[in-house]
Amino acid sequence: MPCSGVLVLETQQNSDTTYRYMTVSVLSREGTITVNREKYQLKKGSHFILPNKVNPILVNGCLEWIVSHP
């Protein structure tokens, strides 16, 4: 299934629950993520941590991932 484009993610603090970070695991496909002007290649099996208050997060490509909060 083809997909393309850029997704802009904003991390925010919710008044009910505040997470200090998110853990992300890429389940399939590949793409890039840009954080603080640094671009990282992602593919199936990639794992990373995103601290809260890192904005914006740009996602380019076609990724299927799972996000967990502590």
Side-chain angles (χ1 to χ4, degrees):
M1 173 176 14
C3 66
S4 63
V6 176
L7 172 65
V8 179
L9 301 176
E10 296 283 336
T11 60
Q12 299 177 355
Q13 289 191 355
N14 182 315
S15 60
D16 296 332
T17 55
T18 301
Y19 303 111
R20 292 181 293 176
Y21 61 89
M22 299 178 285
T23 59
V24 182
S25 298
V26 179
L27 302 176
S28 65
R29 304 196 181 204
E30 56 185 51
T32 61
I33 187 170
T34 304
V35 180
N36 293 332
R37 298 185 187 142
E38 292 286 330
K39 187 180 280 191
Y40 303 94
Q41 295 289 325
L42 301 174
K43 62 181 180 178
K44 179 180 178 180
S46 296
H47 305 279
F48 57 97
I49 296 171
L50 285 175
N52 196 7
K53 300 181 183 179
V54 174
N55 287 306
I57 301 163
L58 303 175
V59 181
N60 194 346
C62 193
L63 295 162
E64 180 181 358
W65 57 17
I66 188 167
V67 178
S68 301
H69 302 278

